[in-house]
Amino acid sequence: MSDPSTTRPPLAEGWATRPTVEATDAPERGVLRVADRVVEKVARAAVLGVPGVAPDAATAGTVGRALGRAYPHVTCSRAGDRARVVLEIALVWPAPAADVARRVCDAVTDQLRGLAGVHVDEIRATVARIVDPSDVVGPSGSAKERRVR
């Protein structure tokens, strides 16, 4: 048997309804602060989403990834909602470097504006490494994991 003091009333009595929220002006709602680390992670995810960019598994082994030696390297310097981004990326051979770099810059700009509300003033993208396609795709068609021998 249930205790009547803890039993919920039927939905018709108001348990399922939410209090109404009144619309407020933007300055009264507060401020959203996005941490620098979040901006860098959004930029890194945008870089890795561009076709032709090598995944981090292909650019460093397990230890290298743990030590931060995998590409892409992303550095952001911010002033308020403005940012400058420096990227070092690895490409999969034979991706055209200029085309992929341009798409990377566009993707980072769009993602930072859309997800973090950060306007990008400048992006410097450097192709720091070219990766062999056999290091990216294993025989099963999935990303290949390097192993220590």
Side-chain angles (χ1 to χ4, degrees):
M1 259 201 177
S2 64
D3 181 17
S5 64
T6 60
T7 307
R8 289 184 177 178
L11 291 178
E13 293 182 28
W15 276 70
T17 62
R18 294 183 179 173
T20 58
V21 178
E22 294 181 27
T24 58
D25 293 330
E28 295 174 12
R29 285 187 293 227
V31 177
L32 173 66
R33 291 190 178 104
V34 180
D36 292 345
R37 183 175 168 136
V38 172
V39 172
E40 289 181 358
K41 286 188 178 264
V42 169
R44 187 174 194 283
V47 169
L48 289 172
V50 174
V53 174
D56 62 353
T59 62
T62 305
V63 174
R65 279 194 308 277
L67 295 174
R69 295 183 182 152
Y71 290 100
H73 291 211
V74 179
T75 306
C76 295
S77 57
R78 292 182 42 202
D81 66 343
R82 316 289 292 176
R84 289 189 170 140
V85 182
V86 177
L87 306 169
E88 290 183 23
I89 60 176
L91 300 183
V92 179
W93 177 260
D99 183 47
V100 173
R102 187 180 81 267
R103 286 187 283 142
V104 163
C105 291
D106 291 344
V108 169
T109 300
D110 292 344
Q111 292 295 315
L112 286 179
R113 187 181 316 122
L115 297 176
V118 174
H119 301 281
V120 178
D121 291 331
E122 177 184 7
I123 295 183
R124 287 188 221 156
T126 303
V127 176
R129 186 167 178 194
I130 303 292
V131 176
D132 189 302
S134 64
D135 288 341
V136 176
V137 180
S140 65
S142 62
K144 186 177 180 181
E145 177 69 29
R146 289 184 166 176
R147 301 197 55 140
V148 178
R149 293 182 188 191

